[in-house]
Amino acid sequence: MRTGRRGGSVNGEPEVSEELTRRLKAYEGRAATVAAVGRDPVNEPMIRHWCEAMDDSNPAYQGPRAVAPPTMLQVWTMGGLSGHTGRTDAYDELLGLLDEAGCTAVVATDCEQEYVRPLRPGDEITFDAVVESVSDRKSTKLGTGYFVTTRTDIRAGGELAGTHRFRILKYAPARAPARASARAPALATVPTSDRRREAPEERRPRPVVNRDNAGFWEGVDRHELLIQRCTGCGSLRFPWLPGCSACGCPEWDTVEASGEGRVFSYVVVHHPPFPAFAPPYSVALIELAEGVRIISNVVGVPYDKVRIGMPVRLRFRRYDDESVLPVFQGVSP
């Protein structure tokens, strides 16, 4: 019964909401992580991988006197797939309280970093974190929930090297009104046998829609796969970005993809299982005829028959009343 009342608080019971907010704010100032140790010292391979991924050739990050890029500050504190060490019961209790209130979804919203001194290969990292703030209840396009901000102080050899503030939104997903499509049903072009075999048992996770990609998802709702086109230099780009990486122009329009493409690369997922996904299944990087690439599922063919170079055609698959996603139908040669 208690869980139900908390869940009701997110949906508009003022007195319960006030009580929940009071309990949440009691965690402000409490430790989230204590005396945690970085899994690895600051090291050259991770610096090199970062710089290659970011296309950053700054000479300060190379050679015998190299320093780590300042923006890698959080990297040295990450727990990896095995999880974090040093996290307190208080932080887990805070997240658990939000879960019980119906705020089961989470999205990172922003971070803020302050750099005190450069980190160099060989530095041993330790860090502590505190719950800096919990907001009042907020209503967003994603849903209603609470912003939780943690502040992490990162040290090298016991000396403060930087501070990292990280904010998440824990929220109860909003239910969008069902939309009637003017087009044919999303699965009309997929044989009935394929629909039964490939239909997920649970709803797909919802994409995070923001001001930079909202136009893309609006196009998907209309069964259009839209590619951004820079109006400055004409370059096509995907995924959607606020500006052109080729010329820097912030202005753009869109072109609709023809839907033809080929498998550029792929993986077959066997483990771990996730709700709404039943392994094994294939996830592919599709190169569209227009030259850009998109990650999606290959459907209509067995997972072990997907091959690099396989021709595919765009389909729009409706998973429930709220979710339409682009997928690609394998085409037999």
Side-chain angles (χ1 to χ4, degrees):
M1 294 298 294
R2 185 177 64 181
T3 300
R5 283 179 59 80
R6 289 180 186 166
S9 70
V10 174
N11 293 320
E13 296 181 26
E15 71 283 359
V16 182
S17 174
E18 292 174 4
E19 171 63 16
L20 175 60
T21 300
R22 183 190 65 79
R23 295 183 65 186
L24 294 172
K25 285 187 173 292
Y27 287 90
E28 292 182 340
R30 298 184 65 178
T33 303
V34 176
V37 178
R39 294 188 63 182
D40 298 285
V42 178
N43 62 83
E44 293 179 4
M46 289 179 69
I47 293 173
R48 183 176 67 254
H49 294 326
W50 175 279
C51 290
E52 289 177 352
M54 298 297 176
D55 194 22
D56 191 340
S57 58
N58 192 317
Y61 310 142
Q62 306 170 26
R65 298 176 63 85
V67 298
T71 48
M72 288 187 74
L73 187 66
Q74 186 190 17
V75 168
W76 314 110
T77 68
M78 290 182 172
L81 295 178
S82 58
H84 294 275
T85 60
R87 200 161 83 172
T88 65
D89 291 341
Y91 189 70
D92 288 336
E93 290 169 7
L94 171 60
L95 298 185
L97 187 59
L98 287 164
D99 285 339
E100 291 182 20
C103 300
T104 54
V106 62
V107 62
T109 60
D110 57 281
C111 69
E112 175 186 337
Q113 294 182 336
E114 179 182 355
Y115 311 119
V116 178
R117 81 153 177 86
L119 294 173
R120 296 179 172 85
D123 281 340
E124 299 281 349
I125 299 301
T126 58
F127 57 97
D128 300 274
V130 64
V131 179
E132 190 167 70
S133 66
V134 182
S135 75
D136 294 331
R137 187 179 66 168
K138 302 291 185 181
S139 295
T140 74
K141 287 186 177 180
L142 292 176
T144 300
Y146 299 81
F147 290 93
V148 178
T149 304
T150 54
R151 188 194 75 243
T152 303
D153 293 328
I154 300 164
R155 297 177 174 82
E159 180 183 1
L160 184 65
T163 298
H164 176 79
R165 284 183 174 84
F166 193 72
R167 184 174 293 110
I168 63 172
L169 172 64
K170 282 279 285 177
Y171 65 98
R175 291 189 61 84
R179 293 182 294 257
S181 174
R183 301 201 176 195
L187 286 175
T189 56
V190 181
T192 303
S193 59
D194 288 340
R195 295 206 299 268
R196 285 198 302 267
R197 182 173 65 251
E198 295 171 2
E201 296 180 357
E202 300 185 27
R203 302 192 314 167
R204 283 286 195 259
R206 295 298 180 267
V208 175
V209 180
N210 55 42
R211 63 182 181 182
D212 292 328
N213 66 15
F216 170 77
W217 291 109
E218 290 167 3
V220 169
D221 284 345
R222 300 190 300 269
H223 291 194
E224 299 173 355
L225 186 63
L226 299 179
I227 303 169
Q228 281 183 310
R229 177 175 58 191
C230 175
T231 56
C233 67
S235 297
L236 300 180
R237 63 179 184 263
F238 191 89
W240 281 35
L241 295 171
C244 179
S245 59
C247 72
C249 177
E251 304 299 328
W252 51 270
D253 58 13
T254 62
V255 296
E256 183 177 356
S258 67
E260 302 296 322
R262 290 184 177 275
V263 175
F264 183 83
S265 181
Y266 73 96
V267 296
V268 174
V269 179
H270 293 271
H271 185 82
F274 293 99
F277 295 91
Y281 55 92
S282 60
V283 179
L285 181 62
I286 305 297
E287 186 168 73
L288 299 176
E290 292 75 14
V292 299
R293 296 169 186 164
I294 179 174
I295 295 175
S296 185
N297 289 118
V298 176
V299 301
V301 295
Y303 70 90
D304 56 352
K305 299 300 182 183
V306 177
R307 294 290 184 268
I308 291 174
M310 171 184 283
V312 293
R313 292 195 182 100
L314 175 66
R315 297 288 183 264
F316 291 92
R317 171 161 289 187
R318 179 171 295 280
Y319 287 92
D320 54 47
D321 290 341
E322 301 174 28
S323 181
V324 176
L325 298 174
V327 297
F328 288 85
Q329 174 93 31
V331 179
S332 301

